[in-house]
């Protein structure tokens, strides 16, 4: 049973059917198709704001291209020290921006602390010798499965904007953050000070589709060329637009995310009740980060359950794994079944029961 990530499963049936349906006939290429225009209209309605939309096949591309539109090569981009852009994209943001400097900030549970951002913004600069603060990027859902609520986004984004920065949101799991917070997409983004959003669908029911959503069209000026130059303008654009149209239709995206979140909450509650397991953060989306005895970790892996060890720098003081313990990440998806969650909880409970004398 696989809790390794939410991209270990394919697409939802509805999204897959939409791709097949979009296969028929001829339509203009390079994103000039009617589906792309319809998706833009749907996103405008969803966000209650004029938007510029650029489809790309993956989240790393969405983030790198977004940040390149917000920062010059000599810019400084603030992010969480454990964020995906910082630790998991092989320097793609630096590559797309032509060398901007990513600066990792601390904060518990994957969330940048306001004080950490303030100190970074107020740090002395040395003219031409220093990089120039250009952008802040927040991940929501965070890499720790927690979420920023709109007021928390607004506090960080407001501070950054007062210092002249632009603000990006890595929304690879935006759907899970919206489902978990109950906030509207508008409240979570432009109303809270977000300029550009990487809106991910791939982890939540699409096969491969992400949209870069600009709330300020002026910032998108160079995006068409950047996307083409990066080799990321898919010629048969219907492939991406059809996925997005089906994903957005009838709140399918939210239904999928709600299911994944419900499974994660079930998993969290079940594991937290097992003696010897601690779950340091609330599961506010579709990810659970339990601290397990290493013996239990080995036993579960040996039984075929799949999940990953996780770094623990973001744990609250004293909450980190002690000797003989491991922090692991377990991710639920739109396709996770209740019975699989229950199987994992039962296996964990059975493995921690004292053996009969
Ligand atoms: C928070 C976050 N952002 C961005 C990405 C990048 O997505 P992709 O793997 O499609 O490039 C991921 C993927 O794991 C992610 O977890």
């Amino acid at each position: 049973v696989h809790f390794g990530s939410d991209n270990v499963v394919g697409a939802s049936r509805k999204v897959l059917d939409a791709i097949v349906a979009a296969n028929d006939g001829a339509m203009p290429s390079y994103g000039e198709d009617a589906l792309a225009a319809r998706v833009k209209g749907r996103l405008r309605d969803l966000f209650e704001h004029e938007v510029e939309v650029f489809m790309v096949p993956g989240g790393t591309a969405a983030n790198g291209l977004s940040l390149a539109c917000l920062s010059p090569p000599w810019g400084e981009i603030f992010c969480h020290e454990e964020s995906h852009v910082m630790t998991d994209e092989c320097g793609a943001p630096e590559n797309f921006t032509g060398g901007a400097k990513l600066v990792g900030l601390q904060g518990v549970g994957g969330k940048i602390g306001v004080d950490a951002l303030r100190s970074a913004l107020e740090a002395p600069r040395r003219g031409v010798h220093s990089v120039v603060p250009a952008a802040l990027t927040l991940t929501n859902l965070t890499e720790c499965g927690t979420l920023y609520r709109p007021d928390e986004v607004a506090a960080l984004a407001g501070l950054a904007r007062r210092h002249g920065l632009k603000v990006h949101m890595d929304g690879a799991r935006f759907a899970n953050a919206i489902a978990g917070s109950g906030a509207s997409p508008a409240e979570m983004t432009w109303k809270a000070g977000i300029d550009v959003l990487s809106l991910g669908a791939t982890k939540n029911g699409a096969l491969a589709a992400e949209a870069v959503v600009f709330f300020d069209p002026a910032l998108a000026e160079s995006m068409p060329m950047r996307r083409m130059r990066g080799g990321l303008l898919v010629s048969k654009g219907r492939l991406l637009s059809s996925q997005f149209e089906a994903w957005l239709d009838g709140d399918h995206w939210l239904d999928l995310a709600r299911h994944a979140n419900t499974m994660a909450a079930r998993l969290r509650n079940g594991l937290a009740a097992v003696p010897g397991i601690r779950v340091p953060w609330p599961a506010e989306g579709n990810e659970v980060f339990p601290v397990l005895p290493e013996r239990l970790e080995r036993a579960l892996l040996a039984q075929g359950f799949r999940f990953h060890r996780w770094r623990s720098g973001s744990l609250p003081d004293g909450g980190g794994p002690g000797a003989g313990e491991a922090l692991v990440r377990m991710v639920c998806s739109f396709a996770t079944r209740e019975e699989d969650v229950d199987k994992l909880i039962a296996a964990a409970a059975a493995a921690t029961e004292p053996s009969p004398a």
Side-chain angles (χ1 to χ4, degrees):
V1 186
H2 220 308
F3 292 92
S5 186
D6 34 12
N7 56 16
V8 298
V9 292
S12 81
R13 179 52 55 184
K14 182 170 174 172
V15 168
L16 212 53
D17 288 347
I19 300 173
V20 174
N23 185 59
D24 287 339
M27 45 180 100
S29 43
Y30 297 106
E32 300 293 327
D33 54 286
L35 271 77
R38 290 206 297 267
V39 168
K40 182 177 174 184
R42 276 181 181 266
L43 289 172
R44 183 183 55 225
D45 294 346
L46 182 69
F47 284 97
E48 307 168 59
H49 199 279
E50 284 306 321
V51 289
E52 289 299 332
V53 176
F54 297 84
M55 300 279 175
V56 288
T60 301
N63 287 341
L65 289 170
S66 301
L67 293 172
C69 291
L70 303 186
S71 174
W74 50 89
E76 188 172 21
I77 300 173
F78 298 104
C79 57
H80 192 277
E81 62 179 355
E82 294 180 25
S83 62
H84 201 271
V85 286
M86 187 71 172
T87 61
D88 289 300
E89 297 186 358
C90 195
E94 291 89 335
N95 186 37
F96 278 104
T97 55
K101 190 178 177 87
L102 260 62
V103 174
L105 303 177
Q106 292 184 335
V108 173
K111 289 156 73 167
I112 296 173
V114 175
D115 289 342
L117 177 61
R118 185 177 295 111
S119 318
L121 289 169
E122 291 175 358
R125 317 262 154 204
R126 294 192 308 112
V128 75
H129 300 279
S130 300
V131 281
V132 179
L136 166 70
T137 174
L138 305 174
T139 314
N140 214 9
L141 205 67
T142 73
E143 286 81 358
C144 293
T146 55
L147 61 83
Y148 291 103
R149 291 175 198 283
D151 59 322
E152 295 172 302
V153 175
L156 290 164
L159 180 56
R161 289 168 84 103
R162 285 195 290 284
H163 282 78
L165 276 69
K166 301 294 180 196
V167 189
H168 167 253
M169 181 173 278
D170 175 354
R173 298 189 177 87
F174 186 75
N176 303 97
I178 292 297
S181 65
S184 74
E187 288 164 344
M188 195 61 101
T189 55
W190 62 271
K191 285 188 178 174
I194 300 296
D195 296 295
V196 185
L197 168 70
S198 297
L199 174 58
T202 309
K203 292 181 189 298
N204 183 44
L207 204 54
E210 319 273 306
V212 179
V213 181
F214 287 85
F215 300 106
D216 174 359
L219 295 175
E221 211 172 291
S222 62
M223 184 67 169
M225 284 72 74
R226 290 185 191 281
R227 183 175 58 171
M228 184 49 139
R229 228 172 122 78
L232 290 161
L233 177 58
V234 172
S235 67
K236 294 187 182 178
R238 70 176 92 179
L239 224 132
L240 304 183
S241 313
S242 58
Q243 295 180 64
F244 247 91
E245 188 168 47
W247 191 70
L248 292 169
D249 183 57
D251 277 353
H252 186 48
W253 67 290
L254 272 180
D255 292 340
L256 296 171
R258 281 192 197 110
H259 174 81
N261 289 8
T262 303
M263 291 301 102
R266 186 180 183 90
L267 182 59
R268 185 205 179 277
N269 294 339
L271 290 178
V274 175
I277 299 183
R278 284 179 287 125
V279 188
W281 308 298
E284 295 180 297
N286 63 322
E287 301 178 291
V288 185
F289 290 79
V291 177
L292 309 176
E294 281 177 348
R295 195 179 52 77
L296 173 58
E297 180 196 27
R298 279 195 301 276
L300 293 173
L301 292 171
Q303 290 176 55
F305 294 102
R306 291 287 163 261
F307 48 84
H308 296 298
R309 273 271 177 128
W310 212 249
R311 47 188 174 260
S312 57
S314 196
L315 280 163
D317 283 348
E325 288 185 327
L327 175 72
V328 303
R329 184 187 80 161
M330 296 174 174
V331 187
C332 297
S333 75
F334 73 92
T336 301
R337 297 176 307 177
E338 212 169 270
E339 66 209 67
D340 294 333
V341 171
D342 293 349
K343 244 187 241 169
L344 176 51
I345 297 167
T352 52
E353 264 169 23
S355 37

